[in-house]
Amino acid sequence: MKHLATFEAAAQTIGLDPAQLPIVSHLPESMQKAPVALYKLSVISAAAWQKEGIKLDWNNRSQEKYFAWWKMRSENGSVGSASGFSFCGFDCVFSTSHVGSRLVFPTRKALEYVAKTHYDLYRDIYVID
Protein backbone atom coordinates (compact mmCIF):
# COMPACT_ATOMS: atom_id res chain seq x y z
CA MET A 1 0.00 0.00 0.00
CA LYS A 2 2.82 2.36 -0.84
CA HIS A 3 0.36 4.68 -2.61
CA LEU A 4 -1.38 5.29 0.75
CA ALA A 5 1.71 5.47 2.97
CA THR A 6 2.10 9.24 2.65
CA PHE A 7 0.00 12.13 1.47
CA GLU A 8 2.67 12.85 -1.14
CA ALA A 9 2.44 9.34 -2.58
CA ALA A 10 -1.37 9.52 -2.68
CA ALA A 11 -1.33 12.94 -4.38
CA GLN A 12 1.07 11.67 -7.03
CA THR A 13 -1.14 8.60 -7.56
CA ILE A 14 -4.06 10.79 -8.60
CA GLY A 15 -1.97 13.39 -10.43
CA LEU A 16 -1.95 16.21 -7.88
CA ASP A 17 0.98 18.34 -6.79
CA PRO A 18 1.47 17.50 -3.09
CA ALA A 19 3.02 20.93 -2.48
CA GLN A 20 -0.27 22.64 -3.36
CA LEU A 21 -2.25 22.68 -0.13
CA PRO A 22 -5.42 24.62 0.70
CA ILE A 23 -4.81 28.22 1.74
CA VAL A 24 -5.91 28.58 5.35
CA SER A 25 -3.92 31.61 6.49
CA HIS A 26 -7.12 33.69 6.74
CA LEU A 27 -8.48 31.33 9.42
CA PRO A 28 -7.70 31.59 13.12
CA GLU A 29 -4.64 29.50 13.91
CA SER A 30 -6.71 27.07 16.00
CA MET A 31 -8.83 26.27 12.90
CA GLN A 32 -6.11 25.85 10.29
CA LYS A 33 -5.19 22.19 10.82
CA ALA A 34 -8.64 20.65 10.21
CA PRO A 35 -9.23 21.78 6.59
CA VAL A 36 -5.72 20.79 5.55
CA ALA A 37 -6.07 17.39 7.23
CA LEU A 38 -9.48 16.85 5.56
CA TYR A 39 -7.96 17.70 2.17
CA LYS A 40 -5.06 15.30 2.71
CA LEU A 41 -7.32 12.44 3.80
CA SER A 42 -9.67 13.13 0.88
CA VAL A 43 -6.71 12.79 -1.49
CA ILE A 44 -5.63 9.57 0.23
CA SER A 45 -9.17 8.21 -0.11
CA ALA A 46 -9.28 9.13 -3.81
CA ALA A 47 -5.93 7.38 -4.33
CA ALA A 48 -7.30 4.22 -2.67
CA TRP A 49 -10.32 4.17 -4.99
CA GLN A 50 -8.21 4.85 -8.09
CA LYS A 51 -5.68 2.15 -7.25
CA GLU A 52 -8.50 -0.37 -6.76
CA GLY A 53 -9.89 0.67 -10.14
CA ILE A 54 -13.28 1.39 -8.60
CA LYS A 55 -15.30 4.59 -9.06
CA LEU A 56 -17.01 5.76 -5.88
CA ASP A 57 -20.74 5.57 -6.58
CA TRP A 58 -23.17 6.76 -3.90
CA ASN A 59 -26.07 5.46 -5.99
CA ASN A 60 -24.77 1.88 -5.99
CA ARG A 61 -26.26 0.15 -2.96
CA SER A 62 -24.15 -2.95 -3.43
CA GLN A 63 -20.84 -1.04 -3.46
CA GLU A 64 -19.31 -1.25 0.00
CA LYS A 65 -17.82 1.94 1.42
CA TYR A 66 -15.74 1.80 4.59
CA PHE A 67 -15.16 4.65 7.00
CA ALA A 68 -13.23 4.88 10.26
CA TRP A 69 -15.09 4.85 13.54
CA TRP A 70 -13.24 6.70 16.29
CA LYS A 71 -13.84 6.52 20.01
CA MET A 72 -13.48 9.77 21.93
CA ARG A 73 -14.06 10.34 25.62
CA SER A 74 -12.77 12.76 28.19
CA GLU A 75 -10.60 11.28 30.92
CA ASN A 76 -8.46 13.44 33.18
CA GLY A 77 -8.81 16.41 30.85
CA SER A 78 -7.71 14.49 27.76
CA VAL A 79 -9.62 13.04 24.85
CA GLY A 80 -9.82 9.27 24.37
CA SER A 81 -7.32 6.68 25.47
CA ALA A 82 -3.79 7.13 26.72
CA SER A 83 -2.83 8.39 23.27
CA GLY A 84 -5.78 10.79 23.37
CA PHE A 85 -7.76 9.60 20.39
CA SER A 86 -8.46 5.96 19.51
CA PHE A 87 -9.22 4.12 16.29
CA CYS A 88 -12.15 1.99 17.36
CA GLY A 89 -12.90 0.01 14.23
CA PHE A 90 -14.53 0.33 10.89
CA ASP A 91 -17.92 0.09 9.34
CA CYS A 92 -19.44 -0.39 5.92
CA VAL A 93 -22.11 1.98 4.69
CA PHE A 94 -24.31 1.95 1.65
CA SER A 95 -25.36 4.72 -0.67
CA THR A 96 -28.55 5.13 1.33
CA SER A 97 -26.59 6.99 3.99
CA HIS A 98 -28.13 10.36 4.75
CA VAL A 99 -24.71 11.99 4.93
CA GLY A 100 -22.03 11.36 2.33
CA SER A 101 -18.37 11.25 3.22
CA ARG A 102 -15.16 12.06 1.44
CA LEU A 103 -13.35 9.75 3.81
CA VAL A 104 -14.65 6.40 2.65
CA PHE A 105 -12.46 3.61 1.34
CA PRO A 106 -13.11 0.76 -1.08
CA THR A 107 -11.77 -2.00 1.17
CA ARG A 108 -11.53 -2.75 4.86
CA LYS A 109 -7.81 -3.38 4.47
CA ALA A 110 -7.20 0.06 2.93
CA LEU A 111 -9.21 1.79 5.65
CA GLU A 112 -7.45 0.01 8.50
CA TYR A 113 -4.07 0.85 6.97
CA VAL A 114 -4.93 4.53 6.47
CA ALA A 115 -6.55 4.94 9.91
CA LYS A 116 -3.46 3.57 11.63
CA THR A 117 -0.90 5.22 9.34
CA HIS A 118 -2.56 8.65 9.25
CA TYR A 119 -3.87 8.82 12.79
CA ASP A 120 -2.50 12.36 13.13
CA LEU A 121 -4.60 13.62 10.20
CA TYR A 122 -7.81 12.16 11.64
CA ARG A 123 -6.97 13.69 15.01
CA ASP A 124 -6.38 17.10 13.40
CA ILE A 125 -9.91 16.94 11.95
CA TYR A 126 -11.81 15.71 15.01
CA VAL A 127 -9.96 17.07 18.05
CA ILE A 128 -9.73 20.72 19.06
CA ASP A 129 -6.59 21.24 21.11
Side-chain angles (χ1 to χ4, degrees):
M1 296 209 178
K2 292 183 343 185
H3 64 291
L4 303 177
T6 65
F7 162 71
E8 292 76 14
Q12 291 171 351
T13 297
I14 62 172
L16 295 176
D17 179 356
Q20 298 294 314
L21 296 175
I23 297 169
V24 294
S25 58
H26 63 287
L27 298 173
E29 189 175 338
S30 63
M31 296 180 183
Q32 291 180 4
K33 290 193 299 186
V36 174
L38 177 60
Y39 171 73
K40 288 181 174 182
L41 283 170
S42 297
V43 168
I44 293 167
S45 172
W49 286 93
Q50 182 171 311
K51 201 69 166 182
E52 290 291 326
I54 304 170
K55 182 172 172 35
L56 175 59
D57 182 358
W58 287 108
N59 293 314
N60 182 350
R61 290 180 178 216
S62 64
Q63 182 185 66
E64 294 181 338
K65 299 156 184 79
Y66 295 89
F67 65 94
W69 190 264
W70 297 91
K71 187 173 192 175
M72 298 175 66
R73 63 177 175 259
S74 179
E75 293 177 1
N76 302 325
S78 68
V79 175
S81 66
S83 63
F85 185 56
S86 309
F87 174 62
C88 185
F90 49 84
D91 200 357
C92 174
V93 296
F94 299 94
S95 61
T96 57
S97 172
H98 295 291
V99 179
S101 174
R102 297 178 188 280
L103 304 182
V104 294
F105 290 83
T107 66
R108 188 176 302 206
K109 183 178 176 183
L111 170 68
E112 287 177 332
Y113 178 81
V114 169
K116 292 174 183 173
T117 304
H118 299 287
Y119 161 88
D120 56 331
L121 294 176
Y122 279 101
R123 190 178 195 293
D124 285 348
I125 292 171
Y126 296 121
V127 177
I128 300 170
D129 289 323

Short mmCIF file of all heavy atoms in Angstrom, two decimals, residues 41-78:
data_model
loop_
_atom_site.label_atom_id
_atom_site.label_comp_id
_atom_site.label_asym_id
_atom_site.label_seq_id
_atom_site.Cartn_x
_atom_site.Cartn_y
_atom_site.Cartn_z
N LEU A 41 -6.64 13.73 3.72
CA LEU A 41 -7.32 12.44 3.80
C LEU A 41 -8.24 12.21 2.61
O LEU A 41 -8.40 11.07 2.16
CB LEU A 41 -8.09 12.32 5.12
CG LEU A 41 -7.22 12.02 6.34
CD1 LEU A 41 -8.03 12.15 7.62
CD2 LEU A 41 -6.61 10.63 6.24
N SER A 42 -8.83 13.26 2.08
CA SER A 42 -9.67 13.13 0.88
C SER A 42 -8.83 12.67 -0.31
O SER A 42 -9.26 11.83 -1.10
CB SER A 42 -10.35 14.46 0.56
OG SER A 42 -11.22 14.83 1.58
N VAL A 43 -7.63 13.20 -0.42
CA VAL A 43 -6.71 12.79 -1.49
C VAL A 43 -6.30 11.34 -1.29
O VAL A 43 -6.28 10.55 -2.24
CB VAL A 43 -5.47 13.72 -1.53
CG1 VAL A 43 -4.37 13.16 -2.41
CG2 VAL A 43 -5.89 15.12 -2.00
N ILE A 44 -6.01 10.96 -0.06
CA ILE A 44 -5.63 9.57 0.23
C ILE A 44 -6.78 8.63 -0.11
O ILE A 44 -6.57 7.56 -0.69
CB ILE A 44 -5.17 9.44 1.70
CG1 ILE A 44 -3.85 10.22 1.90
CG2 ILE A 44 -5.01 7.99 2.10
CD1 ILE A 44 -3.47 10.43 3.35
N SER A 45 -8.00 9.02 0.23
CA SER A 45 -9.17 8.21 -0.11
C SER A 45 -9.31 8.07 -1.63
O SER A 45 -9.54 6.97 -2.14
CB SER A 45 -10.44 8.84 0.48
OG SER A 45 -11.59 8.17 0.02
N ALA A 46 -9.18 9.18 -2.34
CA ALA A 46 -9.28 9.13 -3.81
C ALA A 46 -8.21 8.22 -4.41
O ALA A 46 -8.48 7.48 -5.36
CB ALA A 46 -9.16 10.54 -4.39
N ALA A 47 -7.01 8.24 -3.84
CA ALA A 47 -5.93 7.38 -4.33
C ALA A 47 -6.27 5.91 -4.09
O ALA A 47 -5.97 5.05 -4.93
CB ALA A 47 -4.61 7.73 -3.65
N ALA A 48 -6.91 5.61 -2.96
CA ALA A 48 -7.30 4.22 -2.67
C ALA A 48 -8.30 3.72 -3.70
O ALA A 48 -8.18 2.61 -4.22
CB ALA A 48 -7.88 4.12 -1.26
N TRP A 49 -9.30 4.55 -4.01
CA TRP A 49 -10.32 4.17 -4.99
C TRP A 49 -9.69 3.99 -6.37
O TRP A 49 -9.98 3.03 -7.08
CB TRP A 49 -11.44 5.21 -5.04
CG TRP A 49 -12.34 5.14 -3.84
CD1 TRP A 49 -12.21 5.86 -2.70
CD2 TRP A 49 -13.46 4.28 -3.66
NE1 TRP A 49 -13.20 5.51 -1.81
CE2 TRP A 49 -13.99 4.55 -2.38
CE3 TRP A 49 -14.09 3.32 -4.45
CZ2 TRP A 49 -15.10 3.89 -1.87
CZ3 TRP A 49 -15.20 2.67 -3.94
CH2 TRP A 49 -15.69 2.95 -2.68
N GLN A 50 -8.83 4.93 -6.76
CA GLN A 50 -8.21 4.85 -8.09
C GLN A 50 -7.35 3.61 -8.22
O GLN A 50 -7.40 2.91 -9.22
CB GLN A 50 -7.37 6.09 -8.36
CG GLN A 50 -6.75 6.07 -9.75
CD GLN A 50 -6.11 7.39 -10.10
OE1 GLN A 50 -6.71 8.44 -9.95
NE2 GLN A 50 -4.88 7.34 -10.58
N LYS A 51 -6.57 3.31 -7.19
CA LYS A 51 -5.68 2.15 -7.25
C LYS A 51 -6.47 0.85 -7.33
O LYS A 51 -6.04 -0.11 -7.95
CB LYS A 51 -4.76 2.16 -6.04
CG LYS A 51 -3.51 1.36 -6.22
CD LYS A 51 -2.59 2.01 -7.22
CE LYS A 51 -1.22 1.40 -7.16
NZ LYS A 51 -0.28 2.01 -8.07
N GLU A 52 -7.63 0.82 -6.70
CA GLU A 52 -8.50 -0.37 -6.76
C GLU A 52 -9.23 -0.45 -8.10
O GLU A 52 -9.83 -1.47 -8.41
CB GLU A 52 -9.52 -0.36 -5.62
CG GLU A 52 -8.94 -0.59 -4.25
CD GLU A 52 -8.42 -2.00 -4.05
OE1 GLU A 52 -9.01 -2.96 -4.60
OE2 GLU A 52 -7.42 -2.15 -3.33
N GLY A 53 -9.21 0.65 -8.85
CA GLY A 53 -9.89 0.67 -10.14
C GLY A 53 -11.40 0.73 -9.99
O GLY A 53 -12.14 0.28 -10.86
N ILE A 54 -11.85 1.31 -8.89
CA ILE A 54 -13.28 1.39 -8.60
C ILE A 54 -13.68 2.86 -8.51
O ILE A 54 -13.02 3.66 -7.85
CB ILE A 54 -13.62 0.71 -7.25
CG1 ILE A 54 -13.14 -0.74 -7.23
CG2 ILE A 54 -15.12 0.79 -6.98
CD1 ILE A 54 -13.23 -1.38 -5.85
N LYS A 55 -14.79 3.22 -9.16
CA LYS A 55 -15.30 4.59 -9.06
C LYS A 55 -16.31 4.63 -7.91
O LYS A 55 -17.23 3.82 -7.85
CB LYS A 55 -15.98 4.98 -10.37
CG LYS A 55 -16.52 6.40 -10.38
CD LYS A 55 -17.00 6.78 -11.76
CE LYS A 55 -17.72 8.08 -11.84
NZ LYS A 55 -17.37 9.15 -11.03
N LEU A 56 -16.09 5.57 -7.00
CA LEU A 56 -17.01 5.76 -5.88
C LEU A 56 -18.38 6.13 -6.42
O LEU A 56 -18.52 7.08 -7.18
CB LEU A 56 -16.48 6.85 -4.95
CG LEU A 56 -17.35 7.26 -3.77
CD1 LEU A 56 -17.63 6.07 -2.87
CD2 LEU A 56 -16.69 8.37 -3.00
N ASP A 57 -19.40 5.36 -6.06
CA ASP A 57 -20.74 5.57 -6.58
C ASP A 57 -21.75 5.52 -5.44
O ASP A 57 -22.12 4.45 -4.95
CB ASP A 57 -21.06 4.49 -7.62
CG ASP A 57 -22.43 4.67 -8.26
OD1 ASP A 57 -23.17 5.60 -7.89
OD2 ASP A 57 -22.77 3.84 -9.13
N TRP A 58 -22.22 6.70 -5.00
CA TRP A 58 -23.17 6.76 -3.90
C TRP A 58 -24.53 6.20 -4.28
O TRP A 58 -25.36 5.93 -3.42
CB TRP A 58 -23.30 8.18 -3.38
CG TRP A 58 -22.09 8.62 -2.61
CD1 TRP A 58 -21.14 9.51 -3.00
CD2 TRP A 58 -21.69 8.16 -1.33
NE1 TRP A 58 -20.17 9.63 -2.05
CE2 TRP A 58 -20.48 8.80 -1.00
CE3 TRP A 58 -22.21 7.25 -0.41
CZ2 TRP A 58 -19.81 8.58 0.20
CZ3 TRP A 58 -21.54 7.02 0.78
CH2 TRP A 58 -20.36 7.68 1.08
N ASN A 59 -24.79 6.03 -5.56
CA ASN A 59 -26.07 5.46 -5.99
C ASN A 59 -26.05 3.94 -6.09
O ASN A 59 -27.08 3.33 -6.34
CB ASN A 59 -26.47 6.06 -7.34
CG ASN A 59 -26.77 7.52 -7.23
OD1 ASN A 59 -27.47 7.95 -6.33
ND2 ASN A 59 -26.21 8.31 -8.14
N ASN A 60 -24.90 3.33 -5.90
CA ASN A 60 -24.77 1.88 -5.99
C ASN A 60 -24.87 1.28 -4.60
O ASN A 60 -23.93 1.32 -3.82
CB ASN A 60 -23.42 1.53 -6.64
CG ASN A 60 -23.24 0.04 -6.80
OD1 ASN A 60 -24.02 -0.78 -6.29
ND2 ASN A 60 -22.20 -0.33 -7.52
N ARG A 61 -26.03 0.72 -4.28
CA ARG A 61 -26.26 0.15 -2.96
C ARG A 61 -25.40 -1.07 -2.66
O ARG A 61 -25.16 -1.40 -1.51
CB ARG A 61 -27.73 -0.23 -2.80
CG ARG A 61 -28.63 0.94 -2.71
CD ARG A 61 -30.06 0.47 -2.55
NE ARG A 61 -30.92 1.62 -2.42
CZ ARG A 61 -31.99 1.64 -1.66
NH1 ARG A 61 -32.33 0.57 -0.99
NH2 ARG A 61 -32.73 2.72 -1.59
N SER A 62 -24.94 -1.75 -3.68
CA SER A 62 -24.15 -2.95 -3.43
C SER A 62 -22.65 -2.64 -3.31
O SER A 62 -21.88 -3.52 -2.93
CB SER A 62 -24.37 -3.97 -4.55
OG SER A 62 -23.91 -3.47 -5.78
N GLN A 63 -22.26 -1.41 -3.59
CA GLN A 63 -20.84 -1.04 -3.46
C GLN A 63 -20.55 -0.72 -1.99
O GLN A 63 -21.14 0.19 -1.41
CB GLN A 63 -20.53 0.18 -4.33
CG GLN A 63 -19.07 0.58 -4.26
CD GLN A 63 -18.81 1.87 -5.03
OE1 GLN A 63 -19.29 2.93 -4.67
NE2 GLN A 63 -18.07 1.74 -6.12
N GLU A 64 -19.65 -1.48 -1.40
CA GLU A 64 -19.31 -1.25 0.00
C GLU A 64 -18.38 -0.05 0.10
O GLU A 64 -17.50 0.16 -0.73
CB GLU A 64 -18.66 -2.49 0.60
CG GLU A 64 -19.64 -3.64 0.67
CD GLU A 64 -19.06 -4.89 1.27
OE1 GLU A 64 -17.81 -5.05 1.26
OE2 GLU A 64 -19.83 -5.72 1.74
N LYS A 65 -18.60 0.74 1.15
CA LYS A 65 -17.82 1.94 1.42
C LYS A 65 -17.46 1.91 2.90
O LYS A 65 -18.34 1.89 3.75
CB LYS A 65 -18.63 3.18 1.06
CG LYS A 65 -19.03 3.24 -0.40
CD LYS A 65 -20.25 4.11 -0.58
CE LYS A 65 -20.74 4.11 -2.00
NZ LYS A 65 -21.53 2.93 -2.35
N TYR A 66 -16.19 1.93 3.21
CA TYR A 66 -15.74 1.80 4.59
C TYR A 66 -15.25 3.13 5.13
O TYR A 66 -14.57 3.86 4.43
CB TYR A 66 -14.60 0.77 4.67
CG TYR A 66 -15.05 -0.62 4.31
CD1 TYR A 66 -15.02 -1.06 2.99
CD2 TYR A 66 -15.52 -1.48 5.28
CE1 TYR A 66 -15.45 -2.33 2.65
CE2 TYR A 66 -15.96 -2.76 4.95
CZ TYR A 66 -15.91 -3.17 3.64
OH TYR A 66 -16.34 -4.43 3.30
N PHE A 67 -15.63 3.43 6.36
CA PHE A 67 -15.16 4.65 7.00
C PHE A 67 -14.69 4.31 8.41
O PHE A 67 -15.15 3.34 9.01
CB PHE A 67 -16.26 5.73 7.04
CG PHE A 67 -17.45 5.37 7.87
CD1 PHE A 67 -17.53 5.77 9.20
CD2 PHE A 67 -18.50 4.65 7.34
CE1 PHE A 67 -18.63 5.45 9.98
CE2 PHE A 67 -19.61 4.33 8.10
CZ PHE A 67 -19.68 4.73 9.43
N ALA A 68 -13.78 5.12 8.93
CA ALA A 68 -13.23 4.88 10.26
C ALA A 68 -14.23 5.29 11.32
O ALA A 68 -14.97 6.27 11.17
CB ALA A 68 -11.93 5.67 10.43
N TRP A 69 -14.25 4.55 12.39
CA TRP A 69 -15.09 4.85 13.54
C TRP A 69 -14.15 5.10 14.70
O TRP A 69 -13.39 4.23 15.09
CB TRP A 69 -16.00 3.65 13.83
CG TRP A 69 -17.04 3.93 14.84
CD1 TRP A 69 -16.99 3.68 16.18
CD2 TRP A 69 -18.32 4.52 14.59
NE1 TRP A 69 -18.14 4.07 16.78
CE2 TRP A 69 -18.99 4.60 15.83
CE3 TRP A 69 -18.96 5.00 13.46
CZ2 TRP A 69 -20.25 5.13 15.96
CZ3 TRP A 69 -20.22 5.52 13.59
CH2 TRP A 69 -20.86 5.58 14.82
N TRP A 70 -14.18 6.30 15.23
CA TRP A 70 -13.24 6.70 16.29
C TRP A 70 -13.96 6.81 17.62
O TRP A 70 -15.11 7.23 17.68
CB TRP A 70 -12.60 8.03 15.94
CG TRP A 70 -11.79 7.95 14.70
CD1 TRP A 70 -12.21 8.19 13.42
CD2 TRP A 70 -10.43 7.56 14.59
NE1 TRP A 70 -11.18 7.98 12.54
CE2 TRP A 70 -10.08 7.59 13.23
CE3 TRP A 70 -9.46 7.18 15.51
CZ2 TRP A 70 -8.82 7.28 12.77
CZ3 TRP A 70 -8.20 6.87 15.05
CH2 TRP A 70 -7.88 6.91 13.71
N LYS A 71 -13.28 6.45 18.67
CA LYS A 71 -13.84 6.52 20.01
C LYS A 71 -13.17 7.70 20.74
O LYS A 71 -11.96 7.75 20.85
CB LYS A 71 -13.56 5.22 20.76
CG LYS A 71 -14.22 5.10 22.08
CD LYS A 71 -14.00 3.70 22.63
CE LYS A 71 -14.89 3.44 23.81
NZ LYS A 71 -14.75 2.05 24.26
N MET A 72 -14.00 8.62 21.21
CA MET A 72 -13.48 9.77 21.93
C MET A 72 -14.21 9.86 23.26
O MET A 72 -15.42 9.73 23.33
CB MET A 72 -13.72 11.06 21.14
CG MET A 72 -13.03 11.07 19.81
SD MET A 72 -13.45 12.52 18.82
CE MET A 72 -12.74 13.83 19.80
N ARG A 73 -13.45 10.10 24.31
CA ARG A 73 -14.06 10.34 25.62
C ARG A 73 -13.07 11.14 26.46
O ARG A 73 -11.86 11.06 26.27
CB ARG A 73 -14.44 9.04 26.31
CG ARG A 73 -13.27 8.15 26.62
CD ARG A 73 -13.72 6.90 27.38
NE ARG A 73 -12.59 6.03 27.55
CZ ARG A 73 -12.35 4.96 26.79
NH1 ARG A 73 -13.18 4.63 25.84
NH2 ARG A 73 -11.28 4.23 27.00
N SER A 74 -13.60 11.91 27.35
CA SER A 74 -12.77 12.76 28.19
C SER A 74 -12.40 12.01 29.46
O SER A 74 -13.25 11.55 30.19
CB SER A 74 -13.52 14.04 28.52
OG SER A 74 -12.72 14.84 29.34
N GLU A 75 -11.11 11.88 29.69
CA GLU A 75 -10.60 11.28 30.92
C GLU A 75 -9.43 12.13 31.40
O GLU A 75 -8.47 12.32 30.67
CB GLU A 75 -10.11 9.85 30.67
CG GLU A 75 -11.22 8.88 30.32
CD GLU A 75 -10.68 7.49 30.01
OE1 GLU A 75 -9.47 7.26 30.08
OE2 GLU A 75 -11.51 6.62 29.70
N ASN A 76 -9.53 12.63 32.61
CA ASN A 76 -8.46 13.44 33.18
C ASN A 76 -8.09 14.62 32.29
O ASN A 76 -6.91 14.92 32.09
CB ASN A 76 -7.22 12.58 33.45
CG ASN A 76 -7.53 11.43 34.38
OD1 ASN A 76 -8.35 11.59 35.28
ND2 ASN A 76 -6.92 10.30 34.17
N GLY A 77 -9.07 15.24 31.67
CA GLY A 77 -8.81 16.41 30.85
C GLY A 77 -8.30 16.11 29.46
O GLY A 77 -7.97 17.01 28.72
N SER A 78 -8.19 14.83 29.10
CA SER A 78 -7.71 14.49 27.76
C SER A 78 -8.86 13.89 26.96
O SER A 78 -9.94 13.66 27.48
CB SER A 78 -6.55 13.49 27.83
OG SER A 78 -7.02 12.25 28.29
#
